[in-house]
Amino acid sequence: MTVHGGIGQSVKRKEDARFVRGQGTYVDDIKLPGMLYLDIVRSPYAHARIRYINSERAMKVPGVLAVITGKDLEAAKLAWMPTLMSDRQMVLPVERVMYQAQEVAAVVAESRYAAADGVAAVDVEYEPLPVVVDPIKALEPDAPILRPDKNEKSNRIWHWETGERQATEKALKECDVVVRENIYIPRIHVASIETCGCVAQFDSTSGKLTMWMTTQAPHAIRTVFALVSGLPEHKIRIISPDIGGGFGGKVPVYPGYVLAVVAALKTGHPVKWIEDRSENIQADSFARDYHITAEIGATKDGKLKALRVKTIADHGYTDAAANPSKFPAGLFNIVTGSYPFEKAFVEVDGVYTNKPPGGIAYRCSFRVTEAAFTIERVIDVLAHKLGMDPAELRMKNFIPPEAFPFKSALGWTYDSGNYGAALRKAMDIIDYEGLRKEQAEKRKRGELMGIGISSFTEIVGAGPSATFDILGLKMFDSCEVRIHPTGKVIARFGTKSQGQGHETTYAQILAEELGISVDDITAEEGDTDTAPYGLGTYASRSTPVAGAAAAVAARKIRDKAKLIAAHLLEVSPDDLEWKDHKFQVKGVPAKAKTMQDIAFAAYTNHPQGMEAGLEATAYYDPPNLTFPFGSYICVVDIDKETGEVKIRRFVAVDDCGTIINPMIVEGQIHGGLTMGLAPALLEEIHYDEHGNIQGGTFMDYLLPTAVETPKWETAKTTTPSPHHPLGAKGVGESATVGAPAAIANAVVDALSHLGVTHIDIPITPWKVWKILNEKGIA
Ligand code: CDP
């Protein structure tokens, strides 16, 4: 018997009732009496000494009330703040600016317009300094040292390695075939519809700071604010209201947030700071920027043996990556992908340059996209070298289903998988064999058609807390469930949806576990005064961790409910079973109590000596991560005259274990695929040699529109996670992780007969046309 809105049902999203009516509450909707507005002066230079900042003209602008500079903050010991990776980051500079668009001063005014006029009237004199844009040049011995404050003699931030260096070297030497490819995954930006912002309000009577803030991790932010500012943590309330897309970009603390707090303290008024679109794209945390060299060794008949990957990671002027602290290169060491390499070795060097800091994930679990792109791209390079079909090479090498739990050469224990089934399903849907025949015929006619596969494996759902922490905060997550006397439920979580539909899917988990209709359950997140402590939503961790916490909390409630049911039915608890979403006397299904019956009794007729009420809290520490996977196949046609790539078909078979809401999962995959197409064909943030951003507006940072987006074809296989209480794995990021390699592989496949082995993304018409022109085709 199903419960209304339980697991596996395509329940319509509860949150959409307000979103489709335009009644969501985003940070910019918060309007408080006496509220002031903050705007930011930003540097035109990528590297310069600040000679002076003169705010006299700005202070004369009608409505301007204050100008805040680095010197003001220095006096309050707030000019610098820690980054998520325990480096240092300027709130405002005192001596030097380190990237173009860096915050230089803040203007507080009575209106947003006056604040902007004030910004234009702040006079700053700069003395330009040598700029280092290229991380490889930054490592050369004569490169200017960008962070003298750290007393380092080089711009290398750290060197990190994992796996077996010597054994991998030896294994590669012994292989019949070794392929090596240089891959650059460029800087990109998440460009969520809502930019970042906050409203900071300080109540001087109670001493309480309330922040409405675009944050994916409200509790962690509260703790960091308390530690940095010295304000008591119970006097800080972070409210993360509706969020218009996060994708990792709303994990870090940006200087604007801190400046709004300082401005609120300084003026005694609430202060709003909302980034404009250009600021968001030019100054917020970036993603990717990995320069990779990957080598695969195999036998001549295509058995994979060894993998070696060397990477230079451009971190900008400070290491502010949003990674778990023990993983400076995130989870890049999932780069062995879906394959049982015998030996593997990965090394990454983090490097300072004159660019904005960050290193956020762009809808992936801490560098999983970089890893998936690398392995899936190089597998195709190998297939090409061996003259083998890329599907056959993958099928021959996949970790077999019976090998799970599988320990990878780089130490991860994959929970479950059936990679061959997913690829076979995608091949059947798209008619792979038929497409290969069509391609051969078209090649004879000189037409360019390509087929690309990506059979990726992700790693999502951090903790376990023994290994995963951010700034020392261990990565678990939480759920608190309270059932009211009439059987209606309020549940609160430590995560924070940014559009993923948690209000619906969490309610579905509880509906299933408690036997209460989804309509009778409210799931709430994002208010640190009410929600239990959690580490937030990013890296597809909500379902694997907070979703599991919901199930565990509900099961704790069932334990107590069983005792109440036994009392009501006048039987021993041992005589009861939870069946068909109620407690039944074993063998006598008519004698039963629903959770609603039990909830009423929990407040009116509970056994003598038992505590009243029906509620539970669970802090769930996952025993392992979950490893969702998928196989994507993309078919492209290339216009020989213009180099334009047209995606003709794209089939995505995903496996995220047990699915809570099929409609929401499909929506996540559609959105994710479009966000995977974006870096594959369109998006890149590039800097010229002076550190000027190229691509700092939507005129030249190209987002996919409906015109570029093909009709996605989706399907699934279901391989539950053995350790998750519901068998669910994360899915929110799968498609963004898996899609770029399928698209790039398809384009390279279309050109492989011309000797092309790799094209760096984004694969623009210009890049393709140049190749065609060199080959005498265009
Ligand atoms: O952490 P985040 O919410 O971004 O990612 P997620 O846990 O992968 O979930 C994305 C959305 O898909 C949520 O609404 C999930 O509850 C839903 N989902 C699902 O219905 N079934 C799954 N197996 C995984 C996610």
Side-chain angles (χ1 to χ4, degrees):
M1 216 176 71
T2 56
V3 63
H4 174 57
I7 290 177
Q9 299 176 37
S10 285
V11 174
K12 282 196 181 153
R13 299 189 349 151
K14 284 167 169 266
E15 41 275 84
D16 287 346
R18 63 179 186 281
F19 293 150
V20 298
R21 290 175 170 86
Q23 288 172 0
T25 304
Y26 298 88
V27 168
D28 203 22
D29 294 318
I30 306 293
K31 293 184 177 66
L32 301 178
M35 191 170 75
L36 304 177
Y37 297 81
L38 183 136
D39 196 9
I40 292 175
V41 178
R42 293 183 181 272
S43 169
Y45 291 101
H47 196 193
R49 201 176 306 286
I50 297 173
R51 284 219 181 102
Y52 64 80
I53 301 174
N54 186 339
S55 45
E56 267 173 41
R57 276 197 317 123
M59 287 301 291
K60 287 187 188 137
V61 171
V64 169
L65 299 174
V67 175
I68 302 168
T69 65
K71 291 224 164 95
D72 301 325
L73 296 185
E74 200 179 34
K77 296 200 168 50
L78 277 175
W80 291 83
M81 63 179 173
T83 71
L84 290 174
M85 284 307 275
S86 301
D87 201 338
R88 298 199 319 146
Q89 177 176 2
M90 295 177 222
V91 179
L92 288 177
V94 176
E95 274 174 33
R96 283 194 301 159
V97 287
M98 296 292 289
Y99 62 93
Q100 190 178 58
Q102 184 179 343
E103 298 79 359
V104 174
V107 176
V108 189
E110 282 165 358
S111 74
R112 179 73 179 79
Y113 301 99
D117 289 347
V119 162
V122 174
D123 295 310
V124 189
E125 178 136 330
Y126 301 92
E127 176 191 330
L129 295 169
V131 173
V132 185
V133 175
D134 179 343
I136 293 148
K137 287 197 181 136
L139 289 176
E140 287 171 2
D142 57 347
I145 301 297
L146 297 180
R147 291 290 302 277
D149 62 295
K150 290 193 78 184
N151 289 327
E152 299 287 350
K153 293 189 179 51
S154 120
N155 291 316
R156 181 180 278 105
I157 313 171
W158 41 258
H159 172 84
W160 178 78
E161 57 180 60
T162 182
E164 299 173 86
R165 183 191 282 269
Q166 264 99 33
T168 306
E169 166 102 45
K170 184 164 173 287
L172 283 169
K173 277 198 182 126
E174 287 165 2
C175 286
D176 303 332
V177 187
V178 176
V179 291
R180 178 189 165 102
E181 196 61 71
N182 293 323
I183 296 170
Y184 175 52
I185 307 185
R187 215 168 238 253
I188 51 173
H189 202 288
V190 294
S192 49
I193 291 176
E194 182 202 29
T195 61
C196 292
C198 66
V199 175
Q201 181 192 41
F202 185 71
D203 181 333
S204 55
T205 313
S206 64
K208 187 157 183 171
L209 172 71
T210 305
M211 283 279 278
W212 289 262
M213 183 173 174
T214 47
T215 176
Q216 299 176 226
H219 286 93
I221 296 284
R222 185 188 68 189
T223 303
V224 173
F225 264 43
L227 293 173
V228 173
S229 70
L231 282 173
E233 199 168 358
H234 69 299
K235 299 277 183 176
I236 302 174
R237 180 181 187 187
I238 307 289
I239 300 171
S240 189
D242 288 327
I243 295 193
F247 311 111
K250 288 172 180 164
V251 173
V253 176
Y254 297 117
Y257 297 127
V258 181
L259 291 168
V261 174
V262 171
L265 290 170
K266 191 178 163 99
T267 62
H269 286 263
V271 174
K272 179 183 276 187
W273 166 67
I274 305 284
E275 272 175 345
D276 66 25
R277 177 54 66 190
S278 304
E279 292 177 295
N280 175 271
I281 205 164
Q282 292 174 12
D284 283 4
S285 289
F286 69 94
R288 320 278 188 261
D289 223 345
Y290 260 33
H291 299 254
I292 299 162
T293 303
E295 293 164 279
I296 289 189
T299 62
K300 59 180 175 308
D301 57 351
K303 187 90 198 112
L304 301 180
K305 290 288 192 187
L307 174 75
R308 181 164 60 187
V309 183
K310 186 174 170 51
T311 293
I312 306 279
D314 186 340
H315 278 260
Y317 96 91
T318 181
D319 187 4
N323 284 337
S325 68
K326 294 185 186 66
F327 299 90
L331 305 185
F332 186 61
N333 57 345
I334 190 74
V335 67
T336 50
S338 310
Y339 312 100
F341 286 98
E342 288 165 19
K343 299 290 170 198
F345 177 68
V346 173
E347 59 185 324
V348 184
D349 286 284
V351 180
Y352 290 131
T353 57
N354 288 117
K355 293 184 198 164
I360 53 99
Y362 189 111
R363 201 170 183 168
C364 85
S365 179
F366 316 119
R367 308 279 184 187
V368 173
T369 313
E370 286 88 327
F373 186 80
T374 303
I375 185 66
E376 286 306 295
R377 195 62 277 289
V378 189
I379 287 282
D380 262 38
V381 176
L382 178 67
H384 180 64
K385 173 96 170 187
L386 292 168
M388 237 173 128
D389 184 287
E392 187 193 338
L393 179 63
R394 285 177 171 84
M395 285 293 196
K396 183 174 181 135
N397 284 287
F398 281 146
I399 299 160
E402 62 279 6
F404 291 90
F406 173 82
K407 185 140 192 232
S408 79
L410 293 174
W412 297 113
T413 302
Y414 296 14
D415 57 350
S416 63
N418 190 348
Y419 305 145
L423 178 55
R424 190 61 255 171
K425 190 161 189 175
M427 290 168 77
D428 290 345
I429 294 171
I430 209 158
D431 182 19
Y432 185 77
E433 285 77 8
L435 285 169
R436 284 286 173 210
K437 280 195 200 115
E438 181 192 336
Q439 184 188 35
E441 281 158 22
K442 285 200 162 148
R443 249 182 210 173
K444 280 189 218 144
R445 298 202 296 269
E447 291 171 38
L448 299 174
M449 164 192 166
I451 307 155
I453 299 173
S454 167
S455 291
F456 62 95
T457 293
E458 284 187 276
I459 170 168
V460 309
S465 72
T467 326
F468 287 82
D469 71 88
I470 287 194
L471 282 177
L473 299 170
K474 285 180 174 284
M475 295 184 76
F476 54 83
D477 233 289
S478 59
C479 169
E480 179 194 277
V481 186
R482 188 171 301 161
I483 308 186
H484 304 315
T486 54
K488 313 294 177 192
V489 180
I490 174 88
R492 297 191 171 102
F493 296 83
T495 46
K496 175 63 210 171
S497 186
Q498 309 120 44
Q500 296 94 321
H502 292 176
E503 284 168 50
T504 309
T505 48
Y506 286 160
Q508 288 186 261
I509 293 171
L510 292 169
E512 186 70 38
E513 292 288 330
L514 296 171
I516 293 177
S517 162
V518 73
D519 297 338
D520 292 336
I521 302 172
T522 296
E524 260 184 28
E525 303 171 291
D527 184 341
T528 56
D529 266 9
T530 55
Y533 203 98
L535 267 283
T537 290
Y538 40 85
S540 291
R541 63 187 299 277
S542 302
T543 309
V545 193
V552 173
R555 289 172 196 182
K556 284 188 188 176
I557 285 182
R558 284 215 310 252
D559 288 344
K560 180 172 181 184
K562 190 177 194 181
L563 303 180
I564 300 173
H567 164 74
L568 295 177
L569 293 163
E570 296 177 342
V571 294
S572 154
D574 294 341
D575 294 334
L576 292 177
E577 60 182 346
W578 177 255
K579 210 172 159 201
D580 290 338
H581 302 103
K582 53 192 175 213
F583 280 111
Q584 303 180 359
V585 176
K586 288 176 192 163
V588 196
K591 279 193 84 180
K593 289 289 169 194
T594 65
M595 199 54 86
Q596 277 89 349
D597 302 330
I598 296 165
F600 201 69
Y603 296 87
T604 59
N605 179 21
H606 49 291
Q608 201 56 41
M610 179 190 271
E611 273 183 47
L614 201 53
E615 58 187 72
T617 303
Y619 288 87
Y620 185 77
D621 185 357
N624 189 8
L625 294 116
T626 67
F627 295 75
F629 59 93
S631 265
Y632 295 173
I633 306 183
C634 173
V635 186
V636 299
D637 297 301
I638 297 178
D639 184 330
K640 283 198 294 189
E641 308 301 321
T642 63
E644 190 193 0
V645 172
K646 275 241 156 71
I647 298 179
R648 191 203 308 173
R649 283 188 73 188
F650 195 109
V651 169
V653 176
D654 273 281
D655 194 320
C656 59
T658 307
I659 290 179
I660 314 299
N661 183 321
M663 181 196 70
I664 286 184
V665 166
E666 201 188 348
Q668 292 287 304
I669 291 167
H670 275 233
L673 288 170
T674 307
M675 263 181 103
L677 173 151
L681 297 182
L682 301 162
E683 294 178 357
E684 171 173 24
I685 290 192
H686 176 70
Y687 290 81
D688 71 12
E689 76 268 32
H690 306 295
N692 293 312
I693 188 169
Q694 318 283 295
T697 74
F698 284 166
M699 285 300 285
D700 35 24
Y701 187 74
L702 303 177
L703 303 184
T705 68
V707 176
E708 291 81 21
T709 306
K711 178 179 179 296
W712 306 116
E713 298 170 61
T714 59
K716 66 170 168 47
T717 56
T718 304
T719 313
S721 169
H723 64 77
H724 186 278
L726 306 164
K729 304 180 179 187
V731 79
E733 299 164 334
S734 297
T736 311
V737 170
I743 297 169
N745 285 346
V747 178
V748 174
D749 183 63
L751 306 172
S752 60
H753 60 297
L754 306 172
V756 175
T757 60
H758 178 69
I759 310 172
D760 277 330
I761 55 171
I763 304 177
T764 57
W766 173 236
K767 277 189 197 167
V768 177
W769 185 87
K770 271 199 301 184
I771 293 167
L772 295 175
N773 187 256
E774 274 162 27
K775 306 285 177 191
I777 291 175

